[in-house]
Amino acid sequence: MRELPKHYDPAATEGRIYQLWLDGGYFRGLADPAKKPFSIVIPPPNVTGQLHLGHAFDNTVQDILTRWKRMSGYAAVWIPGTDHAGIATQIKVEEDLRKEGLTRYDLGREAFTERVWDWKNKYGSRIIEQLKLLGSSCDWSRERFTMDEGCSAAVREVFVRLYEKGLIYKGNRIINWCPDCTTALSDAEVEHEEEPGKLWHIRYPLSDGSGYVTIATTRPETMLGDTAVAVNPKDERYSHLIGRTVKLPLTTREIPVIADDYVELEFGTGCVKITPCHDPNDFEVGQRHSLPQILIMDDNAKIINGGEKYNGLDRYDARKLIVADLTELGLLEKIEEHAHNVGKCYRCGTTVEPITSPQWFVKMEPLAKPAIEVVREGRTKFVPERFSKIYLNWLENVRDWCVSRQLWWGHQIPAWYCADCGEITVSRTDPDTCGKCGSKNIERDPDVLDTWFSSALWPFEVFGWPEKTPDLDFWYPTTVVTPGYDIIFFWVARMIFSGVEHMGDVPFRTAYIHGLVRDEQGRKMQKSLGNGVDPQEVINQYGADALRMNMIFGSSPGNDMRFVTAKCENFRNFANKLWNAARYVMMNLDREQPPERTDADRWILTKLNRLAGSMAENLEAYDLGIAAGKIYDFIYDDFCDWYIEFSKSSVNPAVLTEALSGILKLLHPFMPFITEEIWQTLYNGETALIVETYPLFDADYDSLADNQTALANIEALIASVRALRSVRAEKNVPAGTKSALFIVTDKRGLFESVERHLKKLAYVTDIEYREPDTDCVTAVIPEAKFYLPLADLVDLKAEAVKREKELAKAVSTRDSITAKLANPGFIDKAPANVVDAERERLAKAEALIRQLTV
RNA sequence: GGGAGCGUAGCUCAGCUGGUUAGAGCACCUGCUUUACACGCAGGGGGUCACAGGUUCGAGUCCUGUUGUUCCCACCA
């Protein structure tokens, strides 16, 4: 047998163990009809991504579930892959270009996308390599990329299908525009932030010179695009103005005063400027009243169509100038402080501009309806349940999804415009001619699709859809996905409606939603704050197993967690504890085997069996933190503190090994590296732990009479040792000082069977079952009273005081239980096992009182 | 304007379907080279579970309200 070093060294182990798994092909998922399917698709990280703690958390959860199911006999597969991340990746490459003094326009579309592919091929696997450091047991042979051939085919198929069904359309509608990324964004990609702002009150003179109306606005620059002023039809202050016109200051235009319910009477002045091209509400008002549309900003949010003076100005410069000009004209009535919500681009943080623009939209209502149904019916369950409300609420109110992006990196929209007849041809294969008039004068839409359009198809495209593949048949719907709550809208909801629409079934049975990883102060981890913790450094310092346990231990489903690096130390220590326990086991393998199993042997195996049962319940319920806590406690308390200590006075190497291997199996999904390493040593590399069978609860074994007896005996032994150690510590008895022990008990058999342990663990020389002749230090448990003849330490008075205290406590416990049991309500309504437990407690309290009053 | 989470030991957090004396890690105190581990062992101190009501035989756990805090959604310019 190999000598193990005194300390576990993760850095020297993890790479070797990971390679062992790879070489063994253990991650490979095979659609074996003899087994039950278990499948997870990874939330594909961005190709531009660097491993952060969010990934670490997410992937630990997935790996625990996958390893557990794999060991439980499922045909388990975990599909990895990456997302092309349209905006993020394009920005990255454009930044590189800028260093060379170039823009993407200098290269042109083809050369530019080629360059992005180069970048992807060079750096795109970085995040994948980092995931491996965590121990992720993904089936790497199935790694996918959202822009690989298969995924691209799936995207195209979906686009065409939806178009043919009338669920994708092109329209000139108001969208969110990021002037920095120069692309449209979906509603979900806009983050609203409250900001201090101003409410400018501006006078619009009536055309007939009879006065003016005062409007209030937070964005005065948009007045250049005003095409009306609106008031509420019920507003008597302004009813006389309806139908008249006002002169739009700073322009030569005259615009009408209209009436619309949208205007609030109480807010501002009760008069609203209407800018159909730059405000979603105004857009709708404009539709209702057939107002002209005047677009006053270009792609970079610079003024156009605003007159010579303002054209070309940035929107904020224009605002300053316009406010100054209005002031000069005496048309600025007042400025109020006004906090309001501002939409920001979720990628770059730039304030988005609502503008009208011709874009492609997915019609949401017909897709949302069935997606709402499947969750209501429980065909997909959210864990924790509360997230289903967030999901439902979003889908119930969702507006059409703007899917076109003015980027070059992504899935180019398969639509061709005919210059001759204006027809749009949408096709599965690239057309040469217009589908309507046959003209060759056609041009492809330059835009690409929202990145989330392809990730929405992830759970079926990775199995080969639109082909009908055996894998798809076997593993779809997938078992579970594990995203953070921050991507419920982006990803979870869109996967569900896409799965239901294209596969006719939900994409996953369970959406296990987890919280976000925050820093020690509870802040989000952000580059700009510099508070990010690099998981790779943590792994280097403490080991991947320690990092994994840190993420899982003490976390609860759906809740955020603070990452405290120091906590890793605890789990490094835990790993070392297990390591040394294993060392101990292996050092004792050659010892002589006693003929029978002792109570201690039966005790540890019975407890281990129960542990398997209760951990299974927690794992089934996705309570990973609780399961982790239980195996942790078992290893520290039951196995190391007690069983190994028992084994020092009477060792059964077979049981020692049996218990250790059970522990290794149960712990493996959580701490795969160290458990496999120990397993390899313990069994000389003959088998791999990763494909061993996960322990199940055995009810028959649990109910064996010998095991039940062993449990009772060992629990009494533990209580005895604790009581004796406690009293010795209290009296400051030096550890080296041993003494005889007198036991007064009517359950002599209970102690006779464990005398060896009692002597060893409580520093006892001889045991006698009688009252001692001299004054003694005493300790009491319900089953017995103990006397330690440590004459010079005995303080009779102190002993008496201590006994009195204990007695008082025992009496109060007894009385409260007695009262409880005398309560007919309790006896009638409490479940039998609870009543029994109380009766047992009472018996113990009474026994303790008896011992104390002997 | 709606909705949700959180408030438990000095700190970071568990506490699953209500049921013993509310737990863990770190920190703190007292001992200890006990033949696996000082990345250790033994013993110990520390909590009126935010507050107020209610349901119940029984509430940290369920309900209502208050308060603090964080977040999400929403078209009052």
Side-chain angles (χ1 to χ4, degrees):
Chain A
M1 191 214 331
R2 190 144 51 92
E3 262 305 298
L4 290 179
K6 210 168 153 184
H7 290 307
Y8 171 60
D9 180 2
T13 307
E14 292 172 359
R16 177 166 40 79
I17 291 294
Y18 200 82
Q19 194 57 47
L20 180 142
W21 291 328
L22 288 175
D23 294 344
Y26 304 121
F27 300 162
R28 184 89 175 103
L30 292 173
D32 178 354
K35 294 181 177 178
K36 282 192 276 182
F38 174 86
S39 51
I40 295 190
V41 293
I42 202 169
N46 290 354
V47 278
T48 54
Q50 283 271 51
L51 188 72
H52 57 66
L53 287 171
H55 297 124
F57 188 23
D58 199 71
N59 284 277
T60 298
V61 169
Q62 292 172 78
D63 197 45
I64 289 170
L65 296 173
T66 305
R67 285 177 185 270
W68 167 52
K69 287 295 185 182
R70 187 187 291 120
M71 290 176 78
S72 300
Y74 285 73
V77 71
W78 177 15
I79 311 275
T82 47
D83 191 294
H84 66 278
I87 300 179
T89 313
Q90 176 159 329
I91 287 176
K92 195 105 195 169
V93 175
E94 284 186 296
E95 273 170 9
D96 289 351
L97 279 181
R98 201 170 306 142
K99 283 174 203 153
E100 299 165 29
L102 297 169
T103 70
R104 67 175 144 131
Y105 301 102
D106 294 324
L107 297 191
R109 183 170 190 136
E110 205 171 317
F112 178 77
T113 47
E114 222 165 86
R115 180 134 178 177
V116 185
W117 274 108
D118 288 347
W119 190 94
K120 189 263 167 191
N121 292 332
K122 203 166 165 194
Y123 301 109
S125 56
R126 192 176 47 190
I127 182 78
I128 291 294
E129 292 309 310
Q130 291 170 336
L131 290 177
K132 294 179 182 173
L133 300 177
L134 291 165
S136 308
S137 63
C138 302
D139 183 347
W140 299 111
S141 71
R142 296 172 183 274
E143 184 185 333
R144 297 297 299 270
F145 176 55
T146 51
M147 264 172 71
D148 66 24
E149 223 174 284
C151 292
S152 299
V155 165
R156 183 131 180 193
E157 176 65 25
V158 164
F159 188 93
V160 176
R161 273 194 199 186
L162 290 177
Y163 182 77
E164 286 170 349
K165 280 183 85 170
L167 294 178
I168 277 188
Y169 64 92
K170 186 159 194 187
N172 187 41
R173 303 185 21 180
I174 200 133
I175 46 89
N176 308 290
W177 184 265
C178 175
D180 199 56
C181 302
T182 59
T183 179
L185 300 171
S186 67
D187 293 340
E189 286 168 313
V190 177
E191 288 173 351
H192 294 276
E193 248 178 74
E194 185 164 282
E195 277 188 358
K198 290 186 169 55
L199 199 55
W200 283 273
H201 289 63
I202 303 169
R203 291 176 178 165
Y204 286 10
L206 288 161
S207 301
D208 59 13
S210 65
Y212 53 83
V213 295
T214 305
I215 58 91
T217 179
T218 54
R219 297 188 299 152
E221 66 279 11
T222 62
M223 67 178 289
L224 298 173
D226 286 1
T227 52
V229 166
V231 298
N232 191 292
K234 293 193 200 84
D235 196 336
E236 291 172 7
R237 292 174 296 177
Y238 302 117
S239 49
H240 65 286
L241 296 176
I242 297 167
R244 296 167 70 178
T245 60
V246 296
K247 286 185 187 164
L248 184 62
L250 313 178
T251 72
T252 55
R253 291 188 287 117
E254 294 194 0
I255 56 177
V257 178
I258 60 170
D260 196 286
D261 286 334
Y262 149 69
V263 182
E264 298 280 330
L265 287 121
E266 282 81 28
F267 191 85
T269 61
C271 296
V272 189
K273 60 193 274 310
I274 300 297
T275 321
C277 281
H278 295 279
D279 183 282
N281 299 310
D282 294 7
F283 181 79
E284 281 170 24
V285 173
Q287 299 281 81
R288 284 198 285 273
H289 298 268
S290 308
L291 297 176
Q293 296 185 358
I294 301 175
L295 190 72
I296 60 136
M297 282 184 216
D298 67 7
D299 291 354
N300 301 305
K302 289 198 163 72
I303 302 297
I304 51 171
N305 303 323
E308 218 170 292
K309 186 167 185 192
Y310 305 109
N311 282 346
L313 287 179
D314 171 80
R315 53 185 163 163
Y316 298 118
D317 294 335
R319 177 180 298 178
K320 276 185 210 154
L321 186 56
I322 283 170
V323 169
D325 287 349
L326 289 170
T327 308
E328 205 168 301
L329 290 169
L331 295 174
L332 190 66
E333 194 169 293
K334 62 172 172 175
I335 307 172
E336 281 177 344
E337 294 299 323
H338 177 69
H340 64 135
N341 274 326
V342 176
K344 308 263 183 172
C345 170
Y346 86 131
R347 279 287 165 220
C348 70
T350 302
T351 299
V352 301
E353 199 62 41
I355 62 173
T356 51
S357 172
Q359 300 285 346
W360 290 90
F361 296 87
V362 172
K363 203 175 201 172
M364 284 307 300
E365 209 201 330
L367 293 169
K369 256 190 159 170
I372 289 168
E373 279 308 299
V374 294
V375 169
R376 286 228 177 98
E377 288 165 6
R379 286 165 63 193
T380 287
K381 277 195 323 195
F382 278 80
V383 177
E385 218 285 311
R386 64 184 144 92
F387 289 109
S388 66
K389 271 184 268 173
I390 294 175
Y391 165 89
L392 289 171
N393 183 54
W394 187 73
L395 272 188
E396 279 159 4
N397 300 295
V398 72
R399 301 199 297 179
D400 287 353
W401 176 18
C402 174
V403 291
S404 42
R405 297 289 177 276
Q406 287 61 53
L407 305 171
W408 289 352
W409 177 242
H411 302 281
Q412 191 172 353
I413 290 172
W416 282 258
Y417 303 101
C418 178
D420 293 333
C421 74
E423 176 74 1
I424 300 177
T425 305
V426 169
S427 168
R428 285 179 176 81
T429 52
D430 294 5
D432 296 320
T433 56
C434 170
K436 190 179 178 192
C437 70
S439 160
K440 287 197 168 164
N441 202 2
I442 58 171
E443 202 173 331
R444 186 167 186 174
D445 192 310
D447 291 351
V448 300
L449 289 164
D450 184 357
T451 296
W452 297 101
F453 192 94
S454 52
S455 18
L457 318 180
W458 193 241
F460 46 94
E461 65 186 357
V462 296
F463 291 115
W465 192 90
E467 303 294 317
K468 271 183 166 261
T469 68
D471 283 351
L472 187 63
D473 192 47
F474 186 70
W475 273 308
Y476 189 94
T478 65
T479 313
V480 58
V481 281
T482 65
Y485 59 71
D486 53 335
I487 53 172
I488 290 176
F489 307 143
F490 284 120
W491 198 45
V492 179
R494 288 167 180 165
M495 282 192 289
I496 293 178
F497 70 68
S498 301
V500 171
E501 168 68 19
H502 304 294
M503 290 295 299
D505 201 351
V506 295
F508 33 80
R509 300 286 181 215
T510 299
Y512 175 63
I513 308 290
H514 65 250
L516 273 28
V517 184
R518 298 174 173 279
D519 76 356
E520 300 199 13
Q521 282 105 57
R523 300 173 303 179
K524 255 186 175 174
M525 295 215 183
Q526 280 172 342
K527 263 189 201 152
S528 56
L529 281 173
N531 61 348
V533 174
D534 182 358
Q536 293 181 86
E537 277 174 30
V538 177
I539 289 170
N540 289 340
Q541 199 177 346
Y542 301 101
D545 290 330
L547 172 61
R548 291 166 62 113
M549 276 298 267
N550 189 350
M551 312 257 54
I552 297 303
F553 193 95
S555 74
S556 54
N559 289 346
D560 290 355
M561 58 173 305
R562 296 189 194 197
F563 188 85
V564 181
T565 310
K567 213 173 135 191
C568 287
E569 208 169 298
N570 175 230
F571 295 106
R572 180 205 53 190
N573 295 353
F574 173 59
N576 200 238
K577 184 76 180 175
L578 175 65
W579 182 254
N580 277 288
R583 259 180 86 211
Y584 174 84
V585 171
M586 290 186 232
M587 288 163 79
N588 284 286
L589 286 178
D590 306 330
R591 290 213 201 156
E592 202 181 317
Q593 184 110 337
E596 285 179 13
R597 293 193 167 184
T598 64
D599 276 354
D601 295 333
R602 291 181 174 278
W603 170 79
I604 194 72
L605 293 177
T606 305
K607 292 208 82 170
L608 184 65
N609 182 37
R610 290 186 178 181
L611 174 69
S614 82
M615 280 179 73
E617 281 176 26
N618 300 137
L619 289 168
E620 295 289 354
Y622 295 95
D623 282 323
L624 307 188
I626 295 174
K630 283 178 180 170
I631 181 71
Y632 178 93
D633 286 345
F634 185 86
I635 289 170
Y636 259 113
D637 298 343
D638 295 325
F639 191 63
C640 292
D641 290 351
W642 293 108
Y643 186 66
I644 284 185
E645 293 308 318
F646 293 152
S647 80
K648 286 175 183 172
S649 40
S650 160
V651 65
N652 189 332
V655 177
L656 217 36
T657 311
E658 190 179 339
L660 176 62
S661 57
I663 283 169
L664 293 174
K665 289 175 187 172
L666 288 172
L667 182 62
H668 182 260
F670 301 89
M671 301 181 80
F673 289 110
I674 187 174
T675 51
E676 183 72 78
E677 171 72 353
I678 293 171
W679 186 272
Q680 290 298 318
T681 312
L682 189 59
Y683 295 106
N684 299 312
E686 285 156 16
T687 59
L689 176 57
I690 184 174
V691 285
E692 281 293 316
T693 302
Y694 209 69
L696 284 174
F697 178 66
D698 180 344
D700 292 341
Y701 182 77
D702 190 72
S703 59
L704 290 178
D706 283 350
N707 290 344
Q708 294 293 327
T709 309
L711 280 179
N713 291 352
I714 298 299
E715 296 306 332
L717 168 65
I718 289 173
S720 304
V721 171
R722 285 212 168 112
L724 289 166
R725 279 177 181 168
S726 183
V727 72
R728 283 172 59 97
E730 220 169 87
K731 302 289 178 185
N732 291 319
V733 182
T737 308
K738 296 190 172 188
S739 90
L741 171 66
F742 295 88
I743 306 177
V744 175
T745 176
D746 51 7
K747 292 181 178 163
R748 188 164 166 171
L750 195 60
F751 299 95
E752 277 176 337
S753 66
V754 296
E755 278 190 5
R756 278 187 311 264
H757 300 308
L758 212 44
K759 285 180 178 172
K760 171 95 182 166
L761 299 177
Y763 312 99
V764 168
T765 50
D766 296 299
I767 297 175
E768 292 190 54
Y769 295 89
R770 64 174 177 87
E771 294 269 352
D773 310 316
T774 54
D775 290 337
C776 281
V777 171
T778 61
V780 180
I781 63 167
E783 293 84 355
K785 184 160 183 180
F786 300 112
Y787 298 84
L788 294 169
L790 295 160
D792 43 335
L793 296 168
V794 182
D795 178 341
L796 285 175
K797 218 172 142 190
E799 285 288 302
V801 169
K802 191 180 162 192
R803 285 295 88 78
E804 281 305 313
K805 272 192 181 167
E806 284 180 343
L807 183 61
K809 203 176 160 190
V811 167
S812 102
T813 305
R814 179 196 62 190
D815 292 349
S816 84
I817 303 172
T818 308
K820 205 180 216 182
L821 287 169
N823 181 342
F826 178 70
I827 301 292
D828 294 348
K829 293 177 184 172
N833 63 321
V834 172
V835 176
D836 287 348
E838 287 300 315
R839 291 215 168 98
E840 227 168 89
R841 261 185 83 209
L842 179 62
K844 277 208 168 181
E846 280 170 344
L848 192 60
I849 290 167
R850 229 173 297 131
Q851 301 296 349
L852 286 161
T853 49
V854 163

